[in-house]
Amino acid sequence: MYSKEELQSGLNTHIFGKKIFTYESIDSTNACAKTLASTGAEEGTVVIAEYQTAGRGRLGRTWQAESGSNLLFSTIIRPTLEINKIGLLPFFAAAGVALALETVTGAHCECKWPNDVLLNGKKCCGILLESSFQHNVLDYAIIGIGVNVNQKLFSEELKDRATSLSQEYGKEFDRRKIFQQIMKSLELLYAEVKTGKFEVTLHEWKARTKMFGKQVTLTQAGEHLHGRAMSLSADGGLVLATPDGQRVCYAGDVTFTMQS
Ligand code: BTN
């Protein structure tokens, strides 16, 4: 595991990564960051681990990642946001990761609603955002980021959908460099996000998504909804034009529908 000093060396950020907690193994960096945030940890605090025994994914799933090959970390933010803007935070995190991976690798990343980052059509990064409120006001949000960096093998179940930077480029990547670039990209976008504005974030995210105008299937809890992906709603929902009219969806997995 990199030391805190190694991760911070040359990192000229003012918020993200100013405080870092490192672990060889932990249940979940999100769970740990939540505990820290609820006891007052400042925004930008990072919890990073080589391995998670209970890594959390979206929709109650687990996040599996080989030990010592990837980036598994969570960071705390405390923006002052109206409640209807909170659903835009995942786009901030995904755009930040995409910008960073592009800077380090020269690749073009795809952003997939709501918060996956893909390389050549396969997922290389998952993001889990968990928010906490006090009297209907956002107290903090935890951004949990899992980037597949140098992992070579994926389970039978995942191998057609998941990839890593090293699998795509046939070489090993410096995880410290990628971590630091993510910190920098998040900080860049956060300058406007913390004031409640998402123009740059949404511009960057939309420039990297392929779904608008396409027929998609949104799957949630075994239910399938078919429609044309039209746009994002002001609060981060996916606007679908379905045979029964327009629907705005807030959770689920999107796949492109095969056209006959
Ligand atoms: C997804 O389902 O795509 C989201 C996966 C998020 C995984 C990351 S790994 C670091 C952080 N800690 C967790 O327990 N989950 C997130």
Side-chain angles (χ1 to χ4, degrees):
M1 179 76 219
Y2 294 107
S3 68
K4 186 179 100 171
E5 290 72 26
E6 283 172 316
L7 292 170
Q8 285 173 328
S9 164
L11 179 68
N12 295 319
T13 50
H14 297 288
I15 301 172
F16 291 94
K18 292 300 278 180
K19 279 230 170 85
I20 302 184
F21 294 84
T22 64
Y23 292 88
E24 203 55 52
S25 175
I26 198 169
D27 52 354
S28 152
T29 58
N30 261 41
C32 179
K34 257 185 143 176
T35 307
L36 290 170
S38 65
T39 50
E42 61 202 75
E43 70 173 357
T45 299
V46 168
V47 179
I48 183 165
E50 282 296 57
Y51 185 66
Q52 296 183 123
T53 55
R56 299 177 185 169
R58 280 175 56 236
L59 306 173
R61 298 181 189 126
T62 57
W63 182 257
Q64 314 276 1
E66 193 177 276
S67 178
S69 307
N70 300 305
L71 281 172
L72 304 166
F73 65 93
S74 304
T75 188
I76 299 166
I77 52 170
R78 298 180 183 276
T80 310
L81 288 185
E82 287 164 33
I83 216 102
N84 66 346
K85 295 273 175 73
I86 290 164
L88 297 175
L89 287 173
F91 305 107
F92 152 65
V97 170
L99 280 167
L101 297 186
E102 290 177 2
T103 304
V104 173
T105 66
H108 178 77
C109 292
E110 183 186 336
C111 290
K112 185 177 171 210
W113 187 88
N115 44 8
D116 291 344
V117 180
L118 315 187
L119 274 175
N120 300 327
K122 289 181 170 186
K123 179 164 167 174
C124 68
C125 170
I127 292 165
L128 178 66
L129 213 122
E130 298 185 273
S131 309
S132 176
F133 298 86
Q134 287 221 344
H135 313 294
N136 268 341
V137 174
L138 181 70
D139 182 15
Y140 61 82
I142 307 298
I143 301 172
I145 298 177
V147 186
N148 300 330
V149 181
N150 292 321
Q151 182 159 332
K152 301 284 182 311
L153 293 173
F154 290 90
S155 65
E156 204 49 42
E157 188 205 340
L158 288 178
K159 73 179 183 9
D160 294 334
R161 288 177 285 131
T163 192
S164 64
L165 292 171
S166 92
Q167 203 168 65
E168 293 307 307
Y169 294 99
K171 61 175 188 179
E172 295 270 305
F173 284 85
D174 180 344
R175 291 183 294 150
R176 190 180 78 106
K177 209 167 162 184
I178 297 169
F179 170 78
Q180 291 193 335
Q181 194 57 51
I182 294 174
M183 295 289 102
K184 290 179 193 169
S185 298
L186 289 178
E187 184 133 328
L188 186 83
L189 296 177
Y190 195 59
E192 72 156 12
V193 164
K194 71 173 175 214
T195 69
K197 298 198 178 72
F198 285 81
E199 274 83 8
V200 180
T201 281
L202 291 176
H203 173 80
E204 297 295 345
W205 190 87
K206 286 176 185 169
R208 291 170 175 79
T209 195
K210 289 184 176 164
M211 70 178 175
F212 295 128
K214 307 244 172 72
Q215 281 298 129
V216 299
T217 301
L218 184 118
T219 305
Q220 198 204 355
E223 300 276 312
H224 303 292
L225 183 63
H226 304 286
R228 188 176 298 277
M230 304 304 289
S231 58
L232 292 180
S233 63
D235 57 357
L238 173 61
V239 181
L240 285 184
T242 78
D244 302 322
Q246 192 157 295
R247 293 272 298 271
V248 184
C249 308
Y250 292 93
D253 292 309
V254 172
T255 49
F256 290 108
T257 311
M258 293 291 181
Q259 306 281 316
S260 50

